[in-house]
Amino acid sequence: MRTLVEGARLVVPMDDARSRWPGGFVVLEDDRIVQAGPGPVPADVVADRRIDASGKVVLPGFVNTHHHLPQVLTRNVPRVQEAPLFRWLTELYPVWRGWDAAAVETAASVGLAELLLTGCTTTTDHLYLFPRGQELLIDAEIAAARGLGIRFHPTRGSMSRGRSQGGLPPDDVCQDEATILADCRRLIREYHDPRPRAMTRIALAPCAPFSVSDDLMRRTADLARENGVRLHTHLAETKDEEDYCLETYGCRPVEYVRRLGWLGPDVWLAHCVHLDADEVRLFAETGTGVAHCPTSNFRLGSGLAPVRALLDAGAPVGLGVDGSASNDSSNMLAECRQALLAHRPGADPSRWLTAEDVLWAATRGGARCLGRDDVGSLEPGKAADLVLIDTRRLSYAGGSSDILAALVFTPWPEPVDTVIVNGTVVVEDGRISSLDVAALVDCADAISEGLLRSASRATGIDYLAKDRR
Ligand SMILES: [Zn+2]
């Protein structure tokens, strides 16, 4: 099947030359791009299907580098609306303890649909809390991703060090290390696809320095490297974490993971808010990636990652919406705008992020974090992952002096108009045709309320707002 996307207002391939092609076109052959360039379309191009992109900007699909999809079920919980990370986690663990595969599949469908409708074609997820008897939660997420047609990199998270061993989570949401490693092996065996344009890849992702043991960090890294899969975790998110590492390990978080073999081109780390200049250099030297999650970092009062310094040093930087209990959305265009604005207050204008910096992070930077050289740009041989955004909207009117920048400076359109993943049109006219949004929202709300009510009963803490008790 040969598809021609033609007559675009602007094609922005995100190639190394940073090209912009007014009137441009893209030709797809099944799951890959075979040709792209400025208009007009060469006379010898024949197509089975033509997509009219007039008035639209065409970009490579965005790559989301950090998420916790099940947290969709615990958005804006009143009890933790004003909580910083450690209290937020401690109060939410008893709620998360109640989720099962059906709940996770519903939450994943919500989050993944939001990502698609805001132009994201590849996303990761980090699931680290497995209630007793609930081993197949990542399988449920993969089912949701396959149902929607988004490219998916779930990471097998883990927590092994509960309160009785000096960790943060309650013991009953931790798993023993043999169980964790066995399930990592199972997921790699069943789902990891190393081939070009793969739709599913697994990575391994212990939760954070305050919830797993050194030994599990080391053994996870060994297992990942034996199997050619990537490593992910949270790092240097808050000052509390820094204090915890100094007290527990006698060093800062980056030094802690460095000693464990957790820096390198096969590792990407979420947040990295509290890095000093030497640590920024170390990330660049080792090729360690950063998932920048500005909305979540603001929401939890964690701080702001030194992204300009990381970019200047040459470290890989992608964008992440982070979990929906600390964002509280999965909107990639909103995250782009947040990243654009976040680095400005109090900083010299020469250090601000530009709209192009942000779009680069959302495409090429994210692809680099996930170890993918086949997504993130519109070039021959790459996967056919495209987003088309109609610029004939009131919010873009008058912004034609730089219509690409308008996509980031202007509050986001939701939904975008067309999204193609691996050659398949999954969003058309701003809709996912297979999705009954109202039914899905009702289902997510019912599950959410059930989780919050049972956590309230179990803990004596009121998780619902006054008018819902
Ligand atoms: Zn996270």
Side-chain angles (χ1 to χ4, degrees):
M1 162 81 114
R2 199 163 251 257
T3 304
L4 170 62
V5 178
E6 61 183 332
R9 178 170 185 177
L10 185 67
V11 172
V12 186
M14 304 305 286
D15 57 0
D16 288 341
R18 310 239 172 181
S19 308
R20 294 189 188 194
W21 296 327
F25 69 95
V26 185
V27 184
L28 316 176
E29 176 89 49
D30 299 327
D31 60 351
R32 75 187 78 183
I33 296 165
V34 291
Q35 199 178 348
V41 180
D44 59 348
V45 170
V46 288
D48 309 305
R49 173 174 64 174
R50 303 173 94 94
I51 295 176
D52 174 17
S54 53
K56 292 170 182 155
V57 175
V58 179
L59 288 159
F62 300 130
V63 179
N64 175 46
T65 58
H66 190 62
H67 209 327
H68 309 282
L69 289 161
Q71 289 181 14
V72 161
L73 302 166
T74 54
R75 281 177 168 158
N76 52 263
V77 171
R79 179 81 188 171
V80 291
Q81 285 174 11
E82 279 71 49
L85 180 70
F86 278 15
R87 182 161 76 76
W88 177 90
L89 279 170
T90 309
E91 298 215 6
L92 286 173
Y93 290 136
V95 186
W96 297 339
R97 177 196 272 140
W99 61 39
D100 59 13
V104 167
E105 187 164 347
T106 298
S109 298
V110 172
L112 295 170
E114 284 184 281
L115 285 165
L116 282 169
L117 290 167
T118 55
C120 178
T121 52
T122 300
T123 185
T124 186
D125 189 69
H126 186 185
L127 205 165
Y128 55 79
L129 191 149
F130 295 82
R132 293 274 177 271
Q134 297 294 334
E135 305 292 337
L136 301 178
L137 302 184
I138 290 179
D139 305 66
E141 292 190 322
I142 292 172
R146 289 183 172 172
L148 286 163
I150 193 167
R151 203 179 291 283
F152 193 37
H153 285 224
T155 72
R156 207 302 180 179
S158 51
M159 297 199 293
S160 65
R161 201 149 60 88
R163 254 166 237 163
S164 65
Q165 295 168 277
L168 193 70
D171 289 348
D172 75 330
V173 296
C174 295
Q175 294 179 296
D176 72 73
E177 302 192 350
T179 302
I180 292 166
L181 293 167
D183 196 46
C184 290
R185 283 191 203 94
R186 177 188 72 83
L187 286 162
I188 294 169
R189 195 173 56 240
E190 287 187 22
Y191 294 111
H192 182 69
D193 181 355
R195 293 171 300 178
R197 298 180 297 286
M199 290 294 287
T200 312
R201 285 195 189 158
I202 301 291
L204 304 185
C207 182
F210 47 81
S211 51
V212 296
S213 70
D214 301 7
D215 194 44
L216 184 62
M217 289 289 283
R218 275 199 205 90
R219 291 171 69 188
T220 302
D222 289 346
L223 180 61
R225 285 169 180 148
E226 278 161 28
N227 287 277
V229 305
R230 298 178 79 76
L231 288 164
H232 181 55
T233 188
H234 296 100
L235 200 78
E237 181 173 356
T238 63
K239 275 282 171 203
D240 288 339
E241 178 193 328
E242 190 176 301
D243 294 344
Y244 180 91
C245 285
L246 287 167
E247 264 169 45
T248 312
Y249 308 116
C251 63
R252 292 166 55 79
V254 173
E255 174 58 15
Y256 169 65
V257 296
R258 191 195 64 77
R259 290 176 189 169
L260 297 169
W262 263 76
L263 295 179
D266 58 347
V267 181
W268 88 105
L269 302 168
H271 306 304
C272 302
V273 168
H274 299 281
L275 301 186
D276 65 23
D278 289 339
E279 291 163 345
V280 166
R281 238 185 337 267
L282 196 55
F283 272 61
E285 279 166 18
T286 56
T288 306
V290 172
H292 177 42
C293 309
T295 303
S296 170
N297 298 153
F298 284 7
R299 160 74 147 85
L300 299 173
S302 307
L304 184 65
V307 169
R308 171 50 66 202
L310 286 161
L311 291 173
D312 289 351
V317 178
L319 288 187
V321 298
D322 202 1
S324 284
S326 68
N327 182 312
D328 303 49
S329 92
S330 308
N331 187 319
M332 275 302 283
L333 281 161
E335 205 60 30
C336 287
R337 188 167 192 257
Q338 188 76 274
L340 177 80
L341 301 178
H343 296 271
R344 299 188 173 206
D348 187 281
S350 67
R351 312 285 301 155
W352 294 0
L353 297 191
T354 66
E356 282 207 42
D357 290 333
V358 169
L359 290 171
W360 191 265
T363 53
R364 295 289 295 276
R368 198 174 157 201
C369 284
L370 299 191
R372 300 220 44 156
D373 57 9
D374 57 348
V375 302
S377 66
L378 304 179
E379 295 174 282
K382 303 246 175 170
D385 291 4
L386 283 71
V387 53
L388 280 65
I389 302 174
D390 198 335
T391 54
R392 292 165 298 194
R393 297 169 192 264
L394 292 176
S395 51
Y396 296 140
S400 60
S401 56
D402 186 351
I403 200 64
L404 179 64
L407 301 182
V408 187
F409 273 90
T410 306
W412 45 96
E414 188 186 7
V416 299
D417 298 277
T418 305
V419 177
I420 300 172
V421 187
N422 224 36
T424 300
V425 176
V426 293
V427 175
E428 195 168 16
D429 298 327
R431 289 184 60 247
I432 299 170
S433 63
S434 59
L435 194 69
D436 181 340
V437 172
L440 181 60
V441 172
D442 286 348
C443 181
D445 281 346
I447 295 170
S448 170
E449 182 156 342
L451 286 176
L452 292 166
R453 285 195 189 284
S454 64
S456 298
R457 276 195 301 275
T459 60
I461 294 171
D462 272 327
Y463 281 101
L464 293 154
K466 238 185 249 162
D467 59 329
R468 300 284 302 151
R469 275 171 209 157

